[in-house]
Amino acid sequence: MSTATPMKKTWLTPFNIIVGIILLVGGFVTILRFTKGLAGVTNLTDNYPWGIWISFDLLCGVALAAGGFTTSAACYIFGLKRFHSAVRPAILTAFLGYSLVVFALHYDVGRPWRLPYPFFVQSGTTSVLFEVGLCVFLYLITLFVEWVPSALEWLGFKKPRNVIVRMTLALTIFGVVLSTMHQSSLGALYLIAPSKMHPLWYSMFLPLFFFVSAIAAGLSMVIFEGTLSHHYLHAKMDKTYLKEHDGVTFGFAKGAAVVLVVYFFIKIVGITLDNNWHYLFTGYGAWFLFELLGFVALPAFLYAMAVREHNACLVRWGAVITVLGIVLNRFNVSLVAFNWQLPPAQKYFPSWMEIAISVFIVTLGLLVFRFIATKMPIFYEHPNFREHVPHEGEEEEAPEFVEHELKPHPQSLGH
Amino acid sequence: MKRRAFLSLLGAGGAACLLGQSAQAAGPKEFPGYPGSFGVLFDATRCIGCRRCEAGCNQVNGLPAPPEPFDDLSVLNKTRRTNAKTYTIVNRYDNIPGAAGPVFRKNQCQHCLEPACASSCFVRAFTKTPQGAVTWDGSVCVGCRYCMIACPFDIPTFEYGEVISPRIMKCTMCWDHITAGKLTVPGCVGACPVEALVYGKRADLLRIARGRFAAFPGRYLDHIYGEHEMGGTNWLYISGVPFKDIGLREDLGTTSAPQYTSGALAVVPIIATAWPALLVGVYAIHRRMDKVAHEEQVQAVTQAVAKAQEEAAAKLAKAKADAAADKKSAIEREVKKALEEAAKAQTEEDK
Ligand code: SF4
Ligand code: SF4
Ligand code: SF4
């Protein structure tokens, strides 16, 4: 679809072949899902009503899309204006991330056309899931509005664009409030079932754990995506973006290091308050320590080292490990710790078709991101809508951006 | 700049933690159940594991016929759970220390006084009826299956094989049949040949249970399972062997499910009101500081400019003065020179 291969060249690049296969298989499983029901494609059981479509697509998806609210809050509320050029890519990723979360839910729930029911037909306000749903719904709209200026600039509509840009602060605050609520509520979903959760992962602080770790995940994802985009979408970036890129990388690394340390300590506090230390000497304890030391303490340390030594490569390692750690944590809470008392034979393991759908959805996200990032002003400021205020000591430059339309950088293809 | 941002982040985060904690401590009052609500008492010392209750339930609720007929007792060799085609199952528990032989227990929805399923459903599909039954309304259910995550007794099941309208399936305490007057007692209760099941008002059932404890000393454990478990249930159990040995968890506690989430939900309005105020405050501080910084910068620039101008003026004046002095001395020099020359000429003439 968005593979803008130059006409002469063949379509059969390795990238296109892999994407093509993923899309085909995804389409096939989609048909199965909506003709044979959930039983036709998933390994879900009455004991395991939630599988990887919730663990990965919902829990990880939302946590990893936290870059949107963390970046815009850092820039617009906490006054860190040097992160300005990172806001647009982060908002776009968040918007796509949340759209895909909602899209994926259509596969998972039994009657997807009823997804608006909680808001428009009958509301179960005592349910944590209601809060999650409402906040995600409102936040998706907020992200859409925050993203719209990019599209309007692309289309050249000045007036509506300026109206929205003037609402930036209000939108940012709204986004932070909604994010705080639903990021933490995703953890709160499991509060209702203490008897089914392993004590090491169950705590009344679950909402706080989810919220704090989502901030670390969001910051790390911005770094991670920045690296990837730098590689594949370099031609689309303007001077400001490139100049600020290093500052963003190290600034976010510093932030992530602090957040991870905080996260590490509140996890320890959680264990101490519930007096769960003795569980650490069991198999589950080893797994818990693996997560806490290998995927919280280690990346915190890497980030701190990287900032000290100004080592961008180390920052990237920190980001990758943090992101993996969040995925591991969400899987641990929702699949490993959940129903830990069940005999192994009754435990859930995803079918290949469930995995195929998750891969399919991530692929769709990447394609749409690339399409938008190569067409609209995401990594650069539109020459007619420049807002970037040069830093002190910096000379005001004429917009030196060169239009690359329909002529993508060769690196953005064939990978 | 950096330090300031960090400190304000820290302050904001700390406030959020404090709010979270204090709200978690508060919880709703205990709900003793609807007065006069009905329930069922199951007596494990009477149950013979004949599966007639399963057959009775299957029949009154029009559920599909199982692969093995209900008089096939070999299915008891495996421990089963409720599923989308079975509202109730009987399990056999062997080798219980202190028991003469196997003990059987029927399982189905416990009809909790404060049901986890009802509190977790985001479309309020479940209703705790004043008569005691917990019912489910298929006209709003989205099929999210959070109720199945929430139920501590693993009761609700889902029709995974249905494409268009998969339903949540669980025991209804035969509420619809009884309110419609088709039945006077639930199907399973009516089918039991040994009166291991008694249907009645919950308060009466508790009395009956205690009466049996008194009438048959040593036969029962002095505990009615469901009187307080998970905040209390309308289905009650009495037994001669520990409840954990017949598949009833003893570690559930007496806190009702909704209380586990009430703290987190109570924080919501606090976040919704305090958070924006806090964020606007943080923003205002930064704006103010930026403004001050900007003003300071402007002032510094003006001062610098003024100073430069002053210096330039002074320099100019000095240059002018110097130039004037130069000029003056030059004139004087010239005059002197001229005078000297004139004097010289004079002396030469005089010679
Ligand atoms: S046993 Fe489960 S399904 Fe039945 S009322 Fe209680 S929470 Fe709901
Ligand atoms: S599956 Fe249906 S009944 Fe259960 S929580 Fe979701 S919407 Fe409610
Ligand atoms: S009360 Fe009715 S629905 Fe429930 S197990 Fe008995 S017969 Fe089945």
Side-chain angles (χ1 to χ4, degrees):
Chain A
M1 45 186 287
S2 73
T3 42
T5 315
M7 288 306 157
K8 295 175 275 173
K9 277 204 196 144
T10 169
W11 279 81
L12 289 177
T13 59
F15 176 85
N16 286 352
I17 294 176
I18 295 173
V19 167
I21 293 175
I22 292 175
L23 294 186
L24 270 180
V25 173
F28 170 71
V29 179
T30 303
I31 295 173
L32 271 186
R33 156 67 184 91
F34 291 103
T35 51
K36 297 255 184 296
L38 284 166
V41 292
T42 69
N43 280 349
L44 295 176
T45 63
D46 289 326
N47 286 330
Y48 268 102
W50 285 358
I52 60 160
W53 289 348
I54 294 295
S55 305
F56 183 74
D57 301 7
L58 175 68
L59 298 182
C60 295
V62 168
L64 297 180
F69 92 89
T70 40
T71 312
S72 49
C75 178
Y76 297 126
I77 297 177
F78 291 95
L80 304 172
K81 303 240 171 50
R82 65 206 155 92
F83 296 152
H84 189 259
S85 62
V87 171
R88 277 220 173 155
I91 291 286
L92 173 61
T93 330
F95 173 50
L96 289 180
Y98 277 86
S99 308
L100 292 175
V101 165
V102 174
F103 180 66
L105 283 179
H106 286 74
Y107 284 81
D108 187 73
V109 303
R111 309 190 203 195
W113 54 92
R114 286 186 178 175
L115 275 172
Y117 272 32
F119 322 121
F120 300 115
V121 177
Q122 188 162 298
S123 304
T125 47
T126 54
S127 169
V128 177
L129 194 61
F130 175 77
E131 195 206 329
V132 171
L134 188 62
C135 292
V136 168
F137 174 61
L138 292 176
Y139 189 46
L140 187 60
I141 299 174
T142 312
L143 280 171
F144 176 73
V145 177
E146 285 184 285
W147 165 78
V148 150
S150 318
L152 292 176
E153 288 175 15
W154 181 51
L155 298 169
F157 292 134
K158 197 156 191 153
K159 274 231 179 89
R161 178 256 180 210
N162 290 347
V163 170
I164 297 177
V165 167
R166 233 170 285 135
M167 305 192 311
T168 301
L169 179 65
L171 285 171
T172 305
I173 290 182
F174 198 47
V176 172
V177 172
L178 290 172
S179 295
T180 310
M181 292 204 266
H182 71 257
Q183 293 286 4
S184 56
S185 297
L186 284 176
L189 281 177
Y190 291 90
L191 285 181
I192 201 163
S195 60
K196 296 184 181 180
M197 303 282 296
H198 191 282
L200 281 176
W201 282 275
Y202 184 89
S203 159
M204 74 174 208
F205 293 124
L206 259 179
L208 193 62
F209 293 166
F210 268 55
F211 176 60
V212 175
S213 59
I215 297 178
L219 295 173
S220 301
M221 271 308 271
V222 172
I223 297 173
F224 183 62
E225 287 158 19
T227 311
L228 285 187
S229 307
H230 221 269
H231 206 90
Y232 296 113
L233 295 166
H234 195 277
K236 288 278 135 192
M237 296 168 175
D238 69 358
K239 276 198 158 179
T240 312
Y241 181 88
L242 292 172
K243 196 180 304 158
E244 290 185 1
H245 180 75
D246 245 24
V248 170
T249 306
F250 287 105
F252 274 40
K254 208 185 226 172
V258 173
V259 173
L260 282 172
V261 169
V262 170
Y263 180 51
F264 183 86
F265 281 107
I266 56 176
K267 289 280 263 195
I268 302 281
V269 169
I271 300 180
T272 312
L273 282 185
D274 294 339
N275 201 8
N276 283 333
W277 288 104
H278 57 284
Y279 285 107
L280 288 182
F281 304 106
T282 63
Y284 279 94
W287 187 243
F288 179 83
L289 285 176
F290 174 66
E291 182 199 320
L292 193 64
L293 298 179
F295 291 91
V296 181
L298 176 66
F301 175 73
L302 289 183
Y303 272 138
M305 286 288 289
V307 172
R308 245 182 84 106
E309 301 185 353
H310 209 77
N311 182 340
C313 179
L314 214 52
V315 172
R316 263 171 246 146
W317 275 106
V320 169
I321 297 176
T322 308
V323 167
L324 288 178
I326 295 304
V327 174
L328 179 67
N329 174 258
R330 301 309 193 249
F331 273 74
N332 277 346
V333 169
S334 60
L335 295 176
V336 177
F338 184 77
N339 273 345
W340 65 291
Q341 283 147 320
L342 275 191
Q346 291 179 34
K347 289 279 249 184
Y348 158 91
F349 194 83
S351 72
W352 71 265
M353 288 183 279
E354 291 177 80
I355 299 171
I357 288 295
S358 292
V359 173
F360 170 65
I361 289 174
V362 171
T363 310
L364 280 185
L366 285 178
L367 290 179
V368 179
F369 183 87
R370 209 183 61 169
F371 175 80
I372 296 181
T374 49
K375 294 271 177 294
M376 299 182 192
I378 301 295
F379 289 109
Y380 59 92
E381 298 190 282
H382 196 287
N384 302 338
F385 298 91
R386 277 168 61 86
E387 222 169 72
H388 170 68
V389 196
H391 300 291
E392 312 129 41
E394 219 179 275
E395 306 253 312
E396 172 78 67
E397 304 145 354
E400 271 185 58
F401 176 72
V402 194
E403 284 285 344
H404 288 268
E405 255 180 305
L406 300 173
K407 210 177 89 223
H409 191 265
Q411 284 223 325
S412 67
L413 304 165
H415 270 270
Chain B
M1 170 77 156
K2 277 183 223 148
R3 215 176 90 99
R4 184 215 318 164
F6 174 71
L7 287 177
S8 51
L9 260 170
L10 210 67
C17 297
L18 287 177
L19 291 175
Q21 233 171 353
S22 59
Q24 295 248 341
K29 298 277 163 314
E30 215 170 283
F31 172 66
Y34 287 108
S37 69
F38 285 80
V40 176
L41 174 67
F42 172 83
D43 189 334
T45 68
R46 294 188 181 187
C47 177
I48 55 170
C50 65
R51 301 186 66 210
R52 301 261 183 92
C53 54
E54 288 185 29
C57 175
N58 178 281
Q59 192 225 323
V60 300
N61 291 299
L63 296 171
E68 295 91 7
F70 284 107
D71 52 13
D72 178 357
L73 296 186
S74 69
V75 299
L76 294 178
N77 292 337
K78 272 210 299 205
T79 305
R80 297 169 298 153
R81 61 155 290 160
T82 55
N83 61 47
K85 298 185 169 99
T86 331
Y87 289 167
T88 183
I89 40 99
V90 176
N91 275 323
R92 189 183 70 219
Y93 298 91
D94 298 309
N95 307 322
I96 299 172
V103 181
F104 302 91
R105 181 180 65 94
K106 177 185 182 299
N107 196 23
Q108 71 299 303
C109 175
Q110 320 302 337
H111 299 277
C112 306
L113 299 184
E114 293 170 81
C117 55
S119 109
S120 67
C121 178
F122 69 165
V123 287
R124 261 192 298 127
F126 293 93
T127 310
K128 175 72 183 174
T129 63
Q131 293 87 347
V134 176
T135 59
W136 173 84
D137 171 11
S139 70
V140 285
C141 172
V142 181
C144 69
R145 309 187 296 283
Y146 186 38
C147 49
M148 297 166 69
I149 295 275
C151 171
F153 299 102
D154 294 323
I155 293 303
T157 66
F158 189 69
E159 292 181 312
Y160 288 104
E162 280 294 319
V163 182
I164 302 300
S165 49
R167 290 170 297 173
I168 290 288
M169 303 294 277
K170 76 164 196 72
C171 156
T172 58
M173 214 197 268
C174 287
W175 185 80
D176 36 352
H177 309 307
I178 290 174
T179 43
K182 281 193 254 162
L183 290 176
T184 50
V185 296
C188 54
V189 176
C192 181
V194 292
E195 284 185 41
L197 295 163
V198 184
Y199 177 72
K201 293 214 167 109
R202 186 172 185 267
D204 295 338
L205 296 177
L206 289 171
R207 260 192 294 279
I208 293 173
R210 296 228 162 74
R212 288 188 195 169
F213 293 171
F216 304 98
R219 182 170 172 156
Y220 296 97
L221 296 175
D222 187 17
H223 182 79
I224 304 169
Y225 191 96
E227 185 176 13
H228 300 297
E229 275 75 10
M230 290 308 293
T233 59
N234 277 62
W235 211 288
L236 304 165
Y237 301 82
I238 51 177
S239 162
V241 295
F243 292 100
K244 67 170 171 20
D245 292 333
I246 53 172
L248 285 166
R249 291 182 61 166
E250 289 175 351
D251 58 350
L252 293 180
T254 56
T255 309
S256 74
Q259 289 195 37
Y260 287 112
T261 50
S262 58
L265 287 171
V267 184
V268 172
I270 301 174
I271 296 180
T273 48
W275 223 191
L278 216 64
L279 293 174
V280 170
V282 171
Y283 169 77
I285 292 171
H286 287 296
R287 231 177 88 112
R288 170 95 195 108
M289 286 187 160
D290 280 354
K291 212 175 139 204
V292 169
H294 184 244
E295 274 167 7
E296 275 170 3
Q297 199 184 342
V298 168
Q299 208 181 346
V301 168
T302 356
Q303 273 174 0
V305 168
K307 206 172 154 213
Q309 274 174 349
E310 246 168 57
E311 274 171 9
K315 224 172 164 183
L316 193 70
K318 191 166 175 269
K320 265 188 191 160
D322 285 356
D326 270 1
K327 211 168 156 191
K328 202 174 152 208
S329 61
I331 292 170
E332 274 169 6
R333 226 182 303 127
E334 289 301 316
V335 169
K336 209 177 156 199
K337 219 167 132 193
L339 286 177
E340 271 170 13
E341 266 168 22
K344 213 173 159 190
Q346 190 84 47
T347 36
E348 253 166 42
E349 249 172 55
D350 292 347
K351 273 184 198 170

